[in-house]
């Protein structure tokens, strides 16, 4: 029986949270899965695309609640592929954007296991878009930075200082715990009035949003009780959003009143 098992690992990006923002290719990969290893960030509804008898294993890493180390996850992927054949590794967003997907693929390939990559819609782009924020816009922003607030050594990436000097839109994932440090870097560059939006649980029914400026956003996070997982967007494009116009006019009138 075991001779007929063909180990294969398919890395699937689950998208930003809304289960309908999974790709058709991702749906097809899940339908053929013998085992699904998924993160806490992957929506439960997405798992329904896997066969009823497929083994489902949550390996999710949440801050402060590491179920498995990365090395253990790598090993689980390989063990399950060798034992059961078709493994789908489901990760939130796009697995190659701050998802450590490349490490998992490299490990599987070191065992000669066939690997396939199914990109996902990244929250870097999709979450701002869901609030009408176009992260590039002609005449407003010619480029964007995507930065993670959580580096492997728990320090703030040196890229933040450069991003704060740039005129580009800055999109930060996994950065809520570093918000005050990020704000300080932008204030150093005299960008206290730069518009900021923070979108928690973007594209899902639980979505919450706070809008302000670099100078006021820490206070707004407290007022609105915003927390992780959230995407932070800094840039003039935030003000351009048709969806946030109401928020912004209200916010600016308060700032002027002060």
């Amino acid at each position: 029986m075991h001779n007929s098992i063909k180990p294969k690992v398919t890395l699937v990006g689950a998208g930003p949270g809304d289960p309908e923002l999974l790709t058709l290719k991702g749906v097809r990969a899940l339908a053929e899965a013998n085992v699904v290893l998924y993160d806490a960030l992957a929506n439960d509804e997405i798992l329904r695309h896997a066969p009823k008898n497929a083994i489902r294993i949550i390996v999710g890493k949440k801050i402060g609640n590491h179920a498995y180390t990365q090395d253990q996850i790598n090993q689980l992927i390989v063990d399950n592929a060798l034992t059961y054949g078709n493994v789908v590794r489901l990760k939130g967003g796009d697995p190659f954007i701050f998802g450590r997907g490349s490490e998992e693929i490299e490990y599987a390939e070191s065992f000669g296991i066939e690997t396939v990559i199914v990109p996902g819609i990244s929250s870097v782009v999709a979450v701002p878009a869901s609030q009408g924020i176009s992260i590039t816009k002609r005449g407003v922003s010619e480029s964007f930075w995507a930065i993670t607030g959580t580096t492997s050594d728990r320090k703030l990436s040196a890229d933040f200082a450069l991003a704060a000097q740039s005129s580009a839109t800055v999109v930060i994932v996994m950065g809520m715990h570093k918000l005050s440090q990020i704000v300080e870097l932008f204030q150093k560059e005299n960008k206290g009035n730069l518009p900021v939006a923070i979108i928690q649980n973007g594209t899902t029914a639980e979505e919450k949003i706070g809008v302000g400026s670099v100078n006021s956003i820490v206070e707004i996070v407290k007022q609105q009780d915003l927390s992780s997982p959230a995407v932070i967007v800094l840039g003039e494009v935030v003000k351009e959003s048709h969806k946030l116009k109401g928020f912004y006019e209200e916010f600016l009138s308060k700032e002027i009143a002060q």
Side-chain angles (χ1 to χ4, degrees), residues 130-156:
S130 72
Q131 290 299 330
I133 300 168
S134 174
I135 58 177
T136 64
K137 188 172 182 185
R138 205 161 51 153
V140 184
S141 170
E142 292 162 11
S143 59
F144 64 89
W145 291 73
I147 314 182
T148 175
T150 307
T151 57
S152 55
D153 61 1
R154 299 270 172 255
K155 289 193 183 80
L156 206 58

Side-chain angles (χ1 to χ4, degrees), residues 162-168 170 183 185-196 213-215 234:
L162 297 169
Q165 292 167 23
S166 158
S167 60
V170 180
V183 160
L185 284 172
F186 278 81
Q187 285 169 332
K188 260 189 203 151
E189 299 297 331
N190 298 319
K191 293 202 174 160
N193 294 324
L194 190 71
V196 183
S213 66
V214 165
N215 286 339
L234 301 102

Side-chain angles (χ1 to χ4, degrees), residues 202-224:
T203 79
T204 71
E206 288 80 48
E207 188 167 79
K208 280 172 78 175
I209 178 151
V211 171
S213 66
V214 165
N215 286 339
S216 64
I217 198 66
V218 172
E219 189 50 44
I220 282 160
V221 164
K222 277 192 199 129
Q223 284 169 12
Q224 311 275 12

